Amino acid sequence: MQVTTVPARAGNGDHARQAFDSVCSEAAGETSEMKHDALFERFSARLKAQVGQDVYASWFGRLKLHSVSKSVVRLTVPTTFLKSWINNRYLELITTILQAEDPEILKVEILVRSASRGPRASAATEDRAAGSEPTSTPTASRTPNAPREIGKIAVFPTAASTPVRSQQAPSPLFGSPLDTRFTFDTFIEGSSNRVALAAAKTIAEAGAGAVRFNPLFIHSGVGLGKTHLLQAIANAAVASDRMPRVVYLTAEYFMWRFATAIRDNDALTLKDSLRNIDLLIIDDMQFLQGKMIQNEFCHLLNMLLDSAKQVVVAADRAPWELESLDPRVRSRLQGGVAIEVEAPDYEMRLEMLKGRLEAARQEDPSLDIPAEILNHVARSVTASGRELEGAFNQLLFRRSFEPNLTIERVDELLAHLVGAGEARRVRIEDIQRIVARHYNVSRQELVSNRRTRVIVKPRQVAMYLSKTMTPRSFPEIGRRFGGRDHTTVLHAVRKIEELISGDNKLSHEIELLKRLINENNA
Ligand SMILES: Nc1ncnc2c1ncn2[C@@H]1O[C@H](COP(=O)(O)OP(=O)(O)OP(=O)(O)O)[C@@H](O)[C@H]1O
C-alpha cells in the first residue's frame, strides 16, 4: 500500500498537520482493514478445518466480518435464525479461534446484516416454509451409484467400474442411502462380532443364487455395528459384479413404500420389481408394523427365500423376541441363521479408536492423539461403537485448543459418555411415538413421505428432538424417518430452531415434549 502525502500550505501549519494526520490515519485505516481481512481469512480457514466442509458451508458460508474495534470482533449473518443458531452453538468455538489468532480479542458479537448490505442467498434452505420440506437431492439420480429404477422400485446397479467417492452415498430413489464409510475394511473384528462378520462376508462374496444362510438375521443392542455390517454387505455387493441387484432399506421405508403403493393401486408393480432382486437387506426389522404390510412382507420373504434369493435382516432383538411381528414372518425369519453381536471388548474399542484416528489422519496427517489417552478412552467408554465415535469426535475437536489434554481433562469432557451403557438412552422410536401422540398423527405418517402441513410440522419437531436428545447423526436420523436424506433432517433442525426463537408457544410445546420423553425414559 502506498501512503500519499499532501503538500503542506505555507503559513498554515495546523491545516497541513491536519491534512497529514488525516491521510496517515486513512492509510493506517487501510492497513488495519487489510489486517482484519487477513485475520478473518485465517479464522475462516481454521473454522472450516475444525467443523468440516459440510457444517461450514451450512452455517458459516455467509458469515462476514463487520468490524474489529479494540477487543471486539463483530461478524454478520443474513438472518436472525443464523444469528441465534451460531450464538447458541458456535460462539465459544468462534471466540476461541479468534483469540488464538489475536489474544487481544475479548468478545465476539454476531449481528444480522440488513438486506441492502448483502443479498440473501437465493436458495437458503432455512427460509423455506414449514410446509415445504425439501425434496430429495436432484444429484442423486445423476451420480454413478444411484440406483436405477425397475418398475417402481430402484435397485443399486453393480458398480465395479464406479468406485464410491463421497462419504454419503447418493440417496437411492427407492431404499435408504448407503454410507460409504460403512465397509468391511472399516469394520473392526473381535470376539463379539467375529461370526456375524464372517457370515456377512460370505454373503457379500457369494454370487447370485449361491445362497448360504438364508435369511441371515443379525441382532444386537443399539450402536453395536448392525447397520455398519449390513451396509458393508450392500457396499461390497454393489462394488462387485457378483450380485447385480441389491436392495438395502429400513423396515420403516419398506412400510411407507408399500403403504403408498397399496394406496395408489400400484402394489403389483412394486412386487414385480422386487421379484427380480438378488439380495434384499432390511435394517431395523423391529419397526415393521401393520397387518397388511406384514402380510406383503411375508409374501415377499417367502418368494425370495423359495427362489433362493439371499435375504439379510437386522434388529435390536432375536427373531423369536419380535412379538409384534406376524407369526408367519417370525417363523420364516427363524428358519435361517440368527447371530448375535455383543458389546465390543477393550481391544476392539481401542482398535476402533485407532481406526478413526487413521481415517482422520488421511485428511490431516498432523493429527495425533497420544496412545495413553486412546487407551484410557477405550477403557472408560464401554457402551457401544456410537459412544466411542462421540468420544473420538470430542477429543479431535478439543485437541486443537487444548493440545496437552490430560487424562483428568478427558474424563471431564467425556463424563456424559462414561457409563452410558448402563443408563437408559432416549430412543428415536420413543420420540416418534410421543410426538405422534401429541400431534394426533400416527407414527407411520411421521416416517411417510406425506408433505401436508399437519404431518410436516410434527415430523420436523420429531427430527429436531431426535437430533438434540440422542447422539444420532443426521444420516442416521434420516434413515429412521423413512430413509430420508440427511439434508432433510438438517433443514428440519434449522427450521424448528428458527421457529422456537420467535414462537413462545412452540418452545413450550418442545419443552413439554422433552419432559414427556425424559419421563418415558426415567
Ligand atoms: N465393529 C465395529 N467396527 C467399526 N465401527 C463400529 C463397529 N461397531 C460399531 N461401529 C460404529 O459405531 C457406530 C454405530 O454403529 P451402527 O449404527 O452400525 O449400530 P447399530 O447396531 O446399527 O445401532 P442401532 O441398533 O442403534 O441402529 C457407527 O459409526 C459404526 O461405524
Side-chain angles (χ1 to χ4, degrees):
M1 189 192 56
Q2 288 188 345
V3 178
T4 42
T5 53
V6 179
R9 265 199 281 149
N12 194 348
D14 283 342
H15 275 113
R17 186 175 303 274
Q18 273 167 17
F20 180 77
D21 285 347
S22 117
V23 169
C24 283
S25 63
E26 224 178 277
E30 273 177 41
T31 310
S32 57
E33 198 174 306
M34 286 172 75
K35 255 170 52 190
H36 295 156
D37 284 348
L39 168 78
F40 186 66
E41 249 177 56
R42 289 196 307 277
F43 153 78
S44 303
R46 286 183 74 156
L47 182 61
K48 197 182 289 178
Q50 197 67 225
V51 298
Q53 176 64 40
D54 278 355
V55 173
Y56 184 88
S58 296
W59 308 115
F60 305 107
R62 289 174 289 152
L63 188 70
K64 288 186 181 165
L65 178 66
H66 177 273
S67 59
V68 182
S69 68
K70 294 188 185 142
S71 53
V72 182
V73 173
R74 293 191 177 85
L75 302 168
T76 66
V77 288
T79 65
T80 6
F81 165 65
L82 263 183
K83 175 186 156 182
S84 67
W85 180 272
I86 293 175
N87 264 331
N88 288 339
R89 283 157 201 262
Y90 293 106
L91 195 62
E92 201 189 341
L93 171 64
I94 289 174
T95 312
T96 314
I97 295 179
L98 280 166
Q99 282 171 342
E101 287 295 334
D102 180 354
E104 281 183 15
I105 293 170
L106 297 178
K107 193 172 169 209
V108 177
E109 287 177 358
I110 311 289
L111 313 171
V112 179
R113 59 179 170 264
S114 66
S116 56
R117 282 231 209 120
R120 288 168 79 90
S122 56
T125 47
E126 82 244 22
D127 298 333
R128 287 187 186 126
S132 60
E133 202 172 81
T135 47
S136 57
T137 40
T139 47
S141 56
R142 280 185 264 116
T143 44
N145 285 318
R148 66 201 157 84
E149 268 201 294
I150 297 178
K152 281 276 179 174
I153 191 164
V155 175
F156 282 99
T158 36
S161 57
T162 53
V164 174
R165 282 184 200 95
S166 64
Q167 269 209 340
Q168 176 75 47
S171 301
L173 303 172
F174 177 90
S176 311
L178 289 182
D179 188 325
T180 56
R181 289 169 308 170
F182 290 169
T183 63
F184 289 128
D185 285 347
T186 55
F187 192 79
I188 305 298
E189 181 178 351
S191 55
S192 63
N193 62 21
R194 188 158 291 128
V195 182
L197 177 61
K201 279 186 170 167
T202 308
I203 286 173
E205 284 159 13
V211 170
R212 301 294 297 272
F213 332 101
N214 216 10
L216 169 65
F217 193 105
I218 296 173
H219 60 104
S220 80
V222 295
L224 298 182
K226 298 181 295 295
T227 298
H228 190 139
L229 208 48
L230 257 53
Q231 294 209 12
I233 300 176
N235 276 320
V238 165
S240 81
D241 54 4
R242 284 185 290 273
M243 277 197 252
R245 288 154 306 201
V246 180
V247 171
Y248 165 86
L249 70 177
T250 62
E252 278 161 334
Y253 190 81
F254 177 88
M255 279 159 58
W256 170 75
R257 194 63 192 82
F258 253 96
T260 315
I262 291 167
R263 188 199 60 202
D264 299 344
N265 285 329
D266 209 16
L268 270 182
T269 326
L270 180 59
K271 282 190 263 188
D272 271 354
S273 59
L274 280 168
R275 222 179 277 281
N276 295 322
I277 66 176
D278 299 306
L279 172 58
L280 175 68
I281 304 176
I282 305 252
D283 205 352
D284 294 327
M285 189 65 187
Q286 69 273 14
F287 297 128
L288 194 76
Q289 286 165 7
K291 206 166 160 28
M292 195 188 266
I293 300 289
Q294 293 204 25
N295 206 20
E296 291 298 346
F297 183 74
C298 191
H299 287 315
L300 173 65
L301 196 60
N302 285 339
M303 190 261 297
L304 291 174
L305 296 177
D306 293 343
S307 50
K309 303 288 176 58
Q310 182 70 54
V311 177
V312 181
V313 177
D316 67 354
R317 64 204 83 169
W320 49 91
E321 289 171 338
L322 290 167
E323 289 110 11
S324 62
L325 276 197
D326 181 312
R328 290 168 306 155
V329 177
R330 208 163 49 219
S331 141
R332 261 332 297 237
L333 292 177
Q334 287 181 61
V337 172
I339 302 174
E340 182 169 8
V341 173
E342 284 166 6
D345 56 20
Y346 165 74
E347 276 76 27
M348 279 178 73
R349 296 197 296 270
L350 186 58
E351 283 309 305
M352 281 188 214
L353 290 170
K354 286 181 180 167
R356 297 252 164 215
L357 183 59
E358 206 174 299
R361 273 204 193 123
Q362 279 172 13
E363 308 256 310
D364 178 357
S366 70
L367 278 179
D368 198 19
I369 297 178
E372 62 158 351
I373 299 237
L374 287 187
N375 291 342
H376 180 72
V377 174
R379 221 170 280 121
S380 41
V381 180
T382 54
S384 75
R386 187 166 292 116
E387 273 73 19
L388 269 185
E389 193 180 14
F392 180 79
N393 289 340
Q394 184 78 252
L395 287 182
L396 215 56
F397 174 75
R398 285 285 164 178
R399 59 167 283 292
S400 60
F401 311 120
E402 303 175 46
N404 302 317
L405 278 177
T406 59
I407 298 280
E408 291 69 35
R409 181 74 181 122
V410 170
D411 280 343
E412 243 172 72
L413 291 172
L414 305 183
H416 63 295
L417 295 172
V418 174
E422 290 85 55
R424 269 201 76 195
R425 272 160 293 158
V426 174
R427 302 180 331 155
I428 290 182
E429 61 263 36
D430 290 333
I431 294 178
Q432 290 172 336
R433 190 170 44 76
I434 289 165
V435 170
R437 199 172 52 206
H438 179 79
Y439 289 104
N440 206 16
V441 297
S442 73
R443 197 174 145 244
Q444 201 181 333
E445 280 173 315
L446 274 191
V447 302
S448 76
N449 214 25
R450 283 188 60 200
R451 294 215 179 89
T452 55
R453 205 181 165 76
V454 281
I455 305 294
V456 169
K457 184 184 162 197
R459 182 183 297 137
Q460 289 182 329
V461 167
M463 286 179 171
Y464 166 81
L465 291 170
S466 301
K467 187 64 203 151
T468 49
M469 297 185 77
T470 77
R472 304 294 181 126
S473 64
F474 285 113
E476 276 183 298
I477 296 171
R479 277 202 291 277
R480 290 298 173 92
F481 280 79
R484 284 180 156 75
D485 191 83
H486 71 284
T487 54
T488 306
V489 185
L490 186 70
H491 165 67
V493 174
R494 285 174 166 189
K495 185 76 214 169
I496 297 300
E497 277 278 347
E498 183 184 13
L499 291 177
I500 290 174
S501 62
D503 179 351
N504 259 344
K505 187 166 164 272
L506 180 65
S507 67
H508 285 136
E509 242 169 65
I510 299 269
E511 282 315 308
L512 170 72
L513 283 165
K514 280 187 179 166
R515 259 208 320 277
L516 291 173
I517 292 162
N518 284 327
E519 276 165 18
N520 169 77
N521 224 43

